[in-house]
Amino acid sequence: MTGLRQSQHLAREARHLAPGASEEAVHGRRVFAEGRGPVLTDLDGNQYLDFAAGTLTQSLGHGHPEVVEALTAQAGRLWNVHDSATPERAELLELLARLLPEQLDTYAFLSTGAEVVEAALRVVQATAPPGRNRIGALRHGFHGKTMGARMLVHWDIGHQAFSGNSVLGYSPYCYRCPLGLEYPSCDLRCATLVRRHIAEKPNVSALVFEPVLGAAGVIVPPPGYWERVAGACRDSGVLLVADEVLTGGGRTGAFLASELLGVEPDLAMLSKGTANGFPFALLAGRGELLRRPEAAAPGAYASTYASNPLGIAAARATLEVVERDRLIDRVRVLGEIMEDRLRTLESAFPQLGQVRGLGLLWGLEFVTCPVGRTPAPEVARAVYTTALDLGLRTSLGGHILRLAPPFTLDEALLDEGLRLLEKAIERVTS
């Protein structure tokens, strides 16, 4: 429960703070004061295992000493010289060249996930052949809240409807198949339609996609979906633009989720975990795209905070730890443990309709009953708040809870967090 000091603090904020916070902030009503590793402490001294890792950002947990040291040292040297060269930038570029797939050999640095999506769209628009003036995207996708990112999936706000220039294809949401089919007898009809409506259309220049759809509830494609879609795009000259803002950096058990799913993207966007929660974003692409004169005019990849030394310091420190400590291997090990435990919960609780995920990224979909599969946001909210009261923080969105603990979590704390989750579900659904 929210303590007195926290309640007073929230009331103080409410006098001036605009509404519109995330569901987890609205329903959680916690004031977090400190974070160390996988543990958060609130203003009343209560502690929580953070299985949301900030905003699915803290790959190394809160306050990782090497990231703190890198930021502190950089803060004492240099903050912002626009996008001028710094000694550390060259080192980060070379580190990325080791970690990313070989074809992604050229990089631009930005600040946020939405900003890097907009930069990728500019590259697509600048390099598209004449007549290829449409962009493909997937239903249920989420690419940010800026105008271009919203218009990819025709996301409306308030009473205004903005018609985008995108063509929407079917995402591989097998649990709620919009075609009323079942895998594998469906023969991946959703992929066939993406091929027909997007890949084979002569006016489509690119397909912008999340390899695993994160905000929609960690929708993991069945085997063959991306191989079929990516192959069709490649054959037709449609660029593959992977939104790895959430998945990039190792969270699914590979540096890019695309690597696990049979896709070689032409462009990839990363943010969130690549700098352990510090504002930083990366556009990685084929050199023949990012270096083309049409896409590389002066200022094309510049912005106020692009290439800022603090973001570069945080990203370099984070990714050096990921590489040195072989944390992506650890993600796979911990992910297998999570999968076994979550599958057990799925079998035990009928209102937990489905669990799905890869590595250390998992979604739990709550329903009123397993037959009708009616979404149950009230159940998800109750599990979320009950888990908080027990000392576990997750990520809430509608009828979905997402789990994304830090890569540095040990097995004992992973077990403890999953035990608290089970206890919360049992309390709510029994």
Side-chain angles (χ1 to χ4, degrees):
M1 300 294 289
T2 306
L4 177 60
R5 290 183 65 197
Q6 293 183 88
S7 296
Q8 291 172 335
H9 183 91
L10 291 168
R12 179 185 173 192
E13 281 194 341
R15 298 188 190 105
H16 302 288
L17 185 67
S22 64
E23 284 188 77
E24 56 193 61
V26 170
H27 297 292
R29 294 186 54 78
R30 295 308 197 275
V31 181
F32 294 112
E34 186 178 0
R36 289 288 181 270
V39 177
L40 287 167
T41 303
D42 69 23
L43 200 59
D44 292 316
N46 303 304
Q47 292 192 324
Y48 309 82
L49 278 174
D50 189 8
F51 272 33
T55 318
L56 288 72
T57 48
Q58 258 68 5
S59 302
L60 307 182
H62 297 277
H64 190 280
E66 292 182 55
V67 180
V68 170
E69 182 181 2
L71 280 169
T72 303
Q74 187 61 58
R77 288 197 301 268
L78 182 67
W79 282 37
N80 193 318
V81 284
H82 202 201
D83 55 354
S84 296
T86 60
E88 294 78 13
R89 188 167 71 175
E91 294 173 355
L92 177 57
L93 289 166
E94 291 168 354
L95 173 58
L96 289 166
R98 293 198 303 271
L99 293 170
L100 282 158
E102 185 177 2
Q103 82 273 9
L104 301 176
D105 60 3
T106 305
Y107 316 117
F109 298 136
L110 298 119
S111 303
T112 68
E115 187 182 34
V116 76
V117 169
E118 297 286 347
L121 293 177
R122 291 195 299 272
V123 172
V124 170
Q125 291 165 344
T127 60
R132 286 190 180 261
N133 57 1
R134 307 294 296 276
I135 295 176
L138 297 181
R139 291 172 174 85
H140 304 294
F142 177 78
H143 303 287
K145 297 178 182 177
T146 51
M147 184 65 76
R150 276 175 29 210
M151 289 173 69
L152 276 173
V153 287
H154 308 178
W155 182 38
D156 300 333
I157 287 187
H159 303 291
Q160 295 283 73
F162 295 95
S163 57
N165 197 34
S166 64
V167 181
L168 294 183
Y170 288 105
S171 59
Y173 197 173
C174 295
Y175 187 67
R176 298 186 181 281
C177 177
L179 305 172
L181 304 174
E182 290 190 9
Y183 179 82
S185 61
C186 63
D187 191 32
L188 293 172
R189 179 69 173 166
C190 54
T192 299
L193 292 174
V194 173
R195 184 191 70 203
R196 181 182 303 167
H197 296 155
I198 294 175
E200 296 177 352
K201 288 294 176 87
N203 63 344
V204 173
S205 56
L207 171 62
V208 180
F209 65 95
E210 296 171 274
V212 175
L213 285 78
V218 191
I219 297 174
V220 180
Y225 176 88
W226 276 122
E227 291 89 342
R228 190 175 297 187
V229 170
C233 287
R234 190 71 64 209
D235 292 344
S236 302
V238 172
L239 294 178
L240 291 163
V241 182
D243 183 341
E244 301 246 11
V245 166
L246 169 58
T247 51
R251 180 153 292 284
T252 61
F255 195 75
L256 295 182
S258 302
E259 298 177 81
L260 292 176
L261 300 173
V263 185
E264 288 190 6
D266 300 289
L267 296 171
M269 301 91 81
L270 297 80
S271 187
K272 288 189 181 287
T274 51
N276 207 45
F278 195 88
F280 176 82
L282 166 70
L283 176 61
R286 297 182 185 271
E288 62 264 30
L289 279 175
L290 293 186
R291 296 179 188 276
R292 278 181 58 176
E294 301 92 333
Y301 306 118
S303 73
T304 300
Y305 302 107
S307 274
N308 84 82
L310 289 168
I312 286 171
R316 180 183 163 208
T318 299
L319 296 179
E320 282 179 344
V321 172
V322 168
E323 180 186 45
R324 183 197 68 209
D325 295 350
R326 302 180 63 86
L327 289 182
I328 296 177
D329 292 341
R330 178 142 189 82
V331 167
R332 289 194 287 269
V333 171
L334 294 176
E336 290 177 0
I337 296 171
M338 282 194 76
E339 179 169 12
D340 288 344
R341 292 286 299 277
L342 292 174
R343 297 288 179 214
T344 300
L345 297 185
E346 183 182 41
S347 300
F349 298 104
Q351 287 185 276
L352 180 50
Q354 189 180 56
V355 301
R356 48 189 180 255
L358 287 172
L360 289 180
L361 177 63
W362 287 85
L364 286 68
E365 181 161 354
F366 289 91
V367 295
T368 55
C369 74
V371 177
R373 299 183 181 180
T374 302
E378 69 286 350
V379 175
R381 285 195 298 270
V383 172
Y384 168 74
T385 56
T386 302
L388 265 180
D389 291 341
L390 293 170
L392 175 70
R393 179 174 179 260
T394 61
S395 176
L396 171 67
H399 68 296
I400 305 288
L401 287 185
R402 291 184 296 174
L403 307 178
F407 305 173
T408 50
L409 194 71
D410 64 39
E411 292 184 21
L413 286 178
L414 176 60
D415 181 75
E416 172 66 7
L418 294 173
R419 185 189 67 80
L420 293 174
L421 176 65
E422 179 177 9
K423 189 173 182 180
I425 297 173
E426 186 175 26
R427 284 190 181 181
V428 170
T429 61
S430 61

